[in-house]
Amino acid sequence: MKFAALNASVLAVLAPLAIASEKAPATPKVEVQEYQYGMQLDIDQVLQRTDNSRKSGVVPSVLVYRDSQGEVHAVRFMEWGGLSSQNG
């Protein structure tokens, strides 16, 4: 019984380390270009987007995406945050 308790203790200690060692997929480093009104974007897959849900007012956002040719791009634009001025 003591061996089982010891095993459980060791696993409980080491489990967070195993989870922490798993790395999130790396976002490719690309040059961020400023969005211009009317710019044509070839977005096949969104890879990452700034979370502005807890910000208010007009705030900068970055969208990282893969185009139909498989190339990765990033574009910066302004958007309304998720909090309205009445709630914030």
Side-chain angles (χ1 to χ4, degrees):
M1 186 69 177
K2 289 182 181 180
F3 182 72
L6 179 62
N7 263 349
S9 297
V10 170
L11 288 176
V13 169
L14 295 179
L17 297 175
I19 293 170
S21 68
E22 293 179 17
K23 294 183 179 178
T27 302
K29 296 189 191 263
V30 295
E31 185 176 332
V32 178
Q33 63 182 139
E34 296 294 326
Y35 177 79
Q36 301 294 321
Y37 181 77
M39 181 185 280
Q40 297 294 314
L41 301 177
D42 175 19
I43 300 174
D44 186 52
Q45 179 184 19
V46 173
L47 302 176
Q48 184 178 8
R49 186 177 184 287
T50 304
D51 178 13
N52 288 324
S53 63
R54 296 178 182 253
K55 297 179 182 174
S56 63
V58 178
V59 293
S61 186
V62 175
L63 175 72
V64 180
Y65 66 94
R66 180 172 287 121
D67 66 16
S68 60
Q69 303 300 313
E71 294 181 27
V72 177
H73 304 273
V75 63
R76 181 181 297 114
F77 58 96
M78 301 300 286
E79 71 174 354
W80 281 101
L83 296 177
S84 68
S85 59
Q86 290 117 3
N87 295 338

